[in-house]
Amino acid sequence: MNTFLPFSKPTIDESTIAAVGDVLRSGWITSGPKVAEFEKQLSAYFGGRPVRTFNSGTCTMEIALRIAGIGAGDEVITTSISWVATANVILEVGATPVFADIDPVTRNIDLDKVEAAITPKTRAIIPVYLAGKPVDMDRLYAIAAKHKLRVIEDAAQAMGSSWNGKPIGSFGDFVSFSFQANKNITTSEGGCLVMNNEEEAKLAEKFRLQGVTRSGWDGIEVDVLGGKYNMTDIAAAIGLGQFAKLAEITAHRRKLAQHYFATFGADFEAQTGAQLPPQDFENTNWHLFQLVLPDSITRAEFMEKMKAHDIGIGYHYAPIHLFKLYRALGFKEGMFPVSEHVGRQIVSLPMFYAMNEADVERSVAAVKEVLLPR
Ligand SMILES: *Cc1c(COP(=O)(O)O)cnc(C)c1O
């Protein structure tokens, strides 16, 4: 009997659990010294750039848009193959989402399509690094510079990823990360935003807590409309324990990904019509290991058959532009054909830190059972 292999699972070590217990006993359980320490360590990792933590990797992007002054009348270009948060934040600030289709190989936003979508109203680009694989960062920032656009990187999945040896987040404009439970490192829920200067960081602090600025013993002022987005010390204690293992986690995921390719073998795509991800062991942190299924099987059928083999399958993502909320804005089928095809057939195979090579072999054996004619 096999035990069920989920597609993702967090690993929290005993010392992290003990650190959370210490916070709970300390008498200070909201934002405090642990948050300050987590931000300090993150900032060091991101080459000294200012970093602030939040209670999600969604509000980080909304706050970046607000700091950039983006709102009604402005267009923001993004991808349809992401968690819906990526486009929702554009609507949240009153701006207009503009989708650009994806590249069929990387499944990330196609930068040629981004350039084609730029209008005089375009103010920003929100690229997503699906599965932790960055886009061509040199090209992205060349486009942004040429058209004077802000970039809010949705690097929710890209903690530990890099570009030419530099960590994602250590360069660029706004870079947003998520520490949601399934991400490579977690705080249970949470996120952080890397910014360009202290002025932006001060504004981020205001947006994160009701727009409040304090001074002296009892001075309080409110000059912008903020929300309630602060991270707790309970979450930050989890984050500190996880962050200490980032390099180890990333290395292990790369090893698992390599084992996936080796176990699938060179003929797998030709034999099944399924499409493997690009083999990138330099830049991507392998947040996900995703297959695009052949059209001969529906995703639901594949998921059901994998479940019968005790293998959990994730779905990342349904095309955002085809959700009712977005259809009501005028988006419809046929507008972004690559996104629509990938969105119909993409699946995420098990990939998490506590997995071993035997788990990869089990996962691949089940995929082959389901996809190969017998
Ligand atoms: C997880 C994720 C988000 C949202 O992060 P939360 O912390 O859940 O708010 C946004 N975009 C992408 C691509 C994600 O994977």
Side-chain angles (χ1 to χ4, degrees):
M1 263 301 284
N2 275 330
T3 49
F4 182 70
L5 181 65
F7 91 87
S8 178
K9 188 171 75 176
T11 301
I12 312 290
D13 62 21
E14 289 304 322
S15 63
T16 303
I17 293 170
V20 169
D22 291 344
V23 171
L24 291 173
R25 281 185 285 266
S26 74
W28 192 277
I29 62 174
T30 184
S31 311
K34 294 287 180 189
V35 165
E37 178 60 24
F38 191 30
E39 289 177 347
K40 195 174 127 202
Q41 290 190 17
L42 287 167
S43 176
Y45 172 74
F46 295 124
R49 301 184 73 200
V51 180
R52 295 297 181 271
T53 55
F54 301 85
N55 59 17
S56 79
T58 300
C59 70
T60 43
M61 294 189 282
E62 184 186 324
I63 287 170
L65 287 165
R66 291 195 193 283
I67 294 170
I70 291 166
D74 298 331
E75 292 177 358
V76 179
I77 300 173
T78 193
T79 170
S80 186
I81 296 297
S82 182
W83 178 229
V84 65
T86 310
N88 280 354
V89 295
I90 300 170
L91 294 178
E92 200 65 56
V93 301
T96 304
V98 173
F99 295 104
D101 210 348
I102 58 168
D103 175 306
V105 175
T106 65
R107 304 147 188 177
N108 279 331
I109 197 165
D110 180 335
L111 294 175
D112 288 331
K113 305 269 168 60
V114 168
E115 281 214 277
I118 293 170
T119 76
K121 290 182 174 171
T122 308
R123 293 282 316 281
I125 309 169
I126 307 186
V128 173
Y129 310 146
L130 192 68
K133 183 174 175 52
V135 298
D136 179 336
M137 302 299 288
D138 300 329
R139 174 107 196 271
L140 170 71
Y141 278 101
I143 294 170
K146 180 170 161 206
H147 299 275
K148 298 191 165 51
L149 304 177
R150 297 305 299 261
V151 177
I152 295 106
E153 299 180 31
D154 182 351
Q157 303 185 357
M159 191 73 191
S161 297
S162 54
W163 179 253
N164 292 338
K166 294 175 297 197
I168 292 298
S170 68
F171 63 98
D173 194 353
F174 293 109
V175 190
S176 164
F177 294 90
S178 167
F179 303 126
Q180 185 267 343
N182 283 338
K183 302 304 200 275
N184 287 25
I185 69 167
T186 184
T187 58
S188 85
E189 295 287 356
C192 75
L193 182 66
V194 187
M195 291 160 281
N196 300 289
N197 51 54
E198 287 308 320
E199 202 182 321
E200 289 177 355
K202 279 275 161 283
L203 209 42
E205 287 176 8
K206 289 189 196 178
F207 282 124
R208 146 173 104 174
L209 241 176
Q210 314 293 3
V212 164
T213 312
R214 294 184 183 276
S215 56
W217 284 99
D218 61 351
I220 179 163
E221 189 53 270
V222 176
D223 59 355
V224 297
L225 178 58
K228 181 73 163 80
Y229 302 120
N230 55 305
M231 178 177 279
T232 68
D233 265 22
I234 302 166
I238 303 172
L240 283 163
Q242 293 267 294
F243 184 57
K245 292 200 157 165
L246 177 64
E248 204 179 304
I249 289 169
T250 308
H252 186 67
R253 284 173 172 269
R254 285 181 179 153
K255 218 177 80 197
L256 292 174
Q258 260 162 325
H259 199 57
Y260 259 116
F261 286 106
T263 313
F264 273 121
D267 298 333
F268 172 76
E269 290 183 315
Q271 284 171 347
T272 61
Q275 191 200 342
L276 292 164
Q279 296 199 32
D280 170 355
F281 307 107
E282 290 294 316
N283 292 325
T284 180
N285 64 3
W286 290 98
H287 171 61
L288 299 168
F289 192 98
Q290 296 183 292
L291 281 185
V292 176
L293 298 172
D295 289 331
S296 53
I297 190 167
T298 67
R299 178 175 40 230
E301 198 186 332
F302 179 81
M303 290 171 111
E304 188 187 351
K305 288 185 168 168
M306 291 295 284
K307 178 77 202 316
H309 287 275
D310 282 314
I311 309 282
I313 295 295
Y315 174 19
H316 310 92
Y317 288 101
I320 298 170
H321 72 280
L322 298 181
F323 287 133
K324 270 188 188 170
L325 182 71
Y326 289 84
R327 284 177 187 270
L329 301 172
F331 296 107
K332 52 180 185 282
E333 267 105 357
M335 284 181 154
F336 309 104
V338 185
S339 300
E340 288 165 27
H341 175 256
V342 168
R344 194 157 51 240
Q345 296 301 90
I346 199 163
V347 291
S348 303
L349 302 183
M351 173 58 94
F352 54 91
Y353 179 63
M355 265 174 74
N356 58 32
E357 298 200 335
D359 294 325
V360 169
E361 288 156 21
R362 244 182 88 191
S363 170
V364 170
V367 172
K368 287 184 173 174
E369 283 266 324
V370 172
L371 293 185
L372 282 174
R374 288 199 288 170

